[in-house]
Amino acid sequence: MKDYHSENRSTWCDGCGDYGIWAAIKQALVELKIPPTQTLLCYDVGCHGNMSDKLLGYRFHGLHGRVLPFAAGAKLANPKLPVIAFGGDGASFSEGIGHLVHAVRSHYPIVFVLHNNGNYGLTTGQASSLTPQNQQMNTAPNGIPEATLNSMDFLFSLEPTFVARGFSGDIKQLKEILKAAISHRGFAFVDVLQACPTYNHFATHTMLMQKCFKVEDENHNASDFAKARKLAVDTSKRIATGILYRNENVPNFIERLVPRQGKTTTPVEEVETFDITKLMEEFV
Ligand code: SF4
Ligand code: MG
């Protein structure tokens, strides 16, 4: 844990769920014996993105909604590196929703952690597409008129191979979920219900503690796609957390790439030096 420690001070509000996710990812990487120099953590824009300089090692902090293309590109260049991307519910289900769709169908072998606090926290509490309809938010004092996007039903419609849900207040369970996600063969989607005490007054830490239950306590069969989808979508009375669906039998993007088959080196290891002096002369 010391290797990951940064002296930079946190800017998150007291009680923010980002603290729990921050602790869980560090613990997961340490338990998997992955040092900071042998993983790449990529952050979108949002409150969560301020984690990018609160951990030592290789970090990327990108444009709003665009973390997934960068993370996928880095993974394709160096498939030996575990790559973990983080994004908020605002960026991931509005600005970057197209990237999410294609990351799932492409089946890139990366992890995506959704910091799901149900609003745009960094810009002071505007509604995201996952905020409940009619909820009063900043810039929507009469309640938001748009329907809420059913994120989990939408995600399952893309036929993912790994879907899990955690809660920022249960670091122990989240750590185990993240370890499984990092070890997954392809694209792993981890929805983390994150407390935002400053702007989210409809899904508070206390409410989440009361509603969440662990599927591992109820002998859930994570290979049952239909059951997993139902559990993920139906959050009216209780909220299922844990590994909801997992299928390790689907080849990932890199395994499907014909030119890469049989290669023992990575593209970054295959980079060669060329003398381009002659080529440049053409442009003088
Ligand atoms: Fe956390 Fe919300 Fe504060 Fe952002 S606004 S730091 S998400 S509590
Ligand atoms: Mg958010």
Side-chain angles (χ1 to χ4, degrees):
M1 289 293 275
K2 272 191 199 153
D3 293 343
Y4 278 97
H5 180 70
S6 161
E7 291 296 325
N8 290 335
R9 291 188 61 185
S10 168
T11 52
W12 295 317
C13 311
D14 289 351
C16 177
D18 281 330
Y19 289 103
I21 304 171
W22 183 39
I25 190 64
K26 285 189 286 187
Q27 289 179 13
L29 289 165
V30 169
E31 288 193 14
L32 289 173
K33 301 193 187 323
I34 301 172
T37 53
Q38 287 176 28
T39 183
L40 174 68
L41 305 188
C42 307
Y43 294 87
D44 211 295
V45 170
C47 290
H48 80 279
N50 293 333
M51 195 190 295
S52 62
D53 63 356
K54 308 294 181 299
L55 295 149
L56 294 189
Y58 294 120
R59 311 292 167 252
F60 171 82
H61 197 168
L63 296 174
H64 200 204
R66 315 296 166 197
V67 72
L68 280 170
F70 180 84
K75 182 70 181 184
L76 297 187
N78 187 359
K80 290 179 183 167
L81 202 67
V83 175
I84 305 163
F86 301 81
D89 52 293
S92 308
F93 281 93
S94 286
E95 291 85 352
I97 193 166
H99 299 309
L100 180 61
V101 169
H102 294 288
V104 178
R105 68 176 272 272
S106 298
H107 204 21
Y108 300 125
I110 60 177
V111 177
F112 180 60
V113 179
L114 180 72
H115 286 243
N116 187 354
N117 60 12
N119 79 101
Y120 286 92
L122 187 70
T123 47
T124 70
Q126 293 78 27
S128 76
S129 53
L130 305 196
T131 307
Q133 191 174 22
N134 300 323
Q135 176 68 37
Q136 285 186 335
M137 300 295 291
N138 286 346
T139 71
N142 300 314
I144 62 162
E146 297 97 336
T148 309
L149 185 74
N150 191 331
S151 57
M152 279 302 210
D153 208 30
F154 173 71
L155 195 90
F156 269 90
S157 74
L158 303 171
E159 299 188 17
T161 59
F162 186 105
V163 181
R165 182 156 52 206
F167 162 43
S168 60
D170 191 337
I171 296 169
K172 206 169 154 193
Q173 184 200 31
L174 185 55
K175 174 195 71 178
E176 294 302 329
I177 290 172
L178 291 169
K179 281 164 64 181
I182 294 166
S183 310
H184 181 54
R185 183 176 183 175
F187 188 81
F189 179 87
V190 182
D191 179 19
V192 186
L193 302 178
Q194 181 204 327
C196 170
T198 307
Y199 298 115
N200 181 329
H201 305 295
F202 47 89
T204 63
H205 181 89
T206 308
M207 186 274 250
L208 291 170
M209 265 179 49
Q210 286 164 351
K211 279 187 83 173
C212 287
F213 73 99
K214 296 181 175 68
V215 292
E216 53 267 35
D217 291 345
E218 301 192 5
N219 295 323
H220 171 60
N221 174 6
S223 63
D224 186 335
F225 187 89
K227 176 89 186 300
R229 186 173 191 165
K230 196 167 182 297
L231 272 176
V233 171
D234 184 5
T235 56
S236 53
K237 292 195 177 69
R238 301 196 305 161
I239 299 173
T241 62
I243 298 169
L244 304 177
Y245 182 67
R246 185 184 204 173
N247 179 357
E248 300 290 347
N249 297 321
V250 181
N252 66 41
F253 184 87
I254 297 169
E255 291 169 325
R256 291 171 184 166
L257 277 182
V258 174
R260 299 305 307 167
Q261 283 173 10
K263 297 261 186 194
T264 51
T265 52
T266 65
V268 284
E269 289 164 339
E270 293 158 17
V271 172
E272 293 175 29
T273 307
F274 288 96
D275 183 356
I276 59 165
T277 318
K278 270 207 157 346
L279 177 70
M280 293 308 287
E281 282 167 6
E282 289 180 29
F283 300 96
V284 176

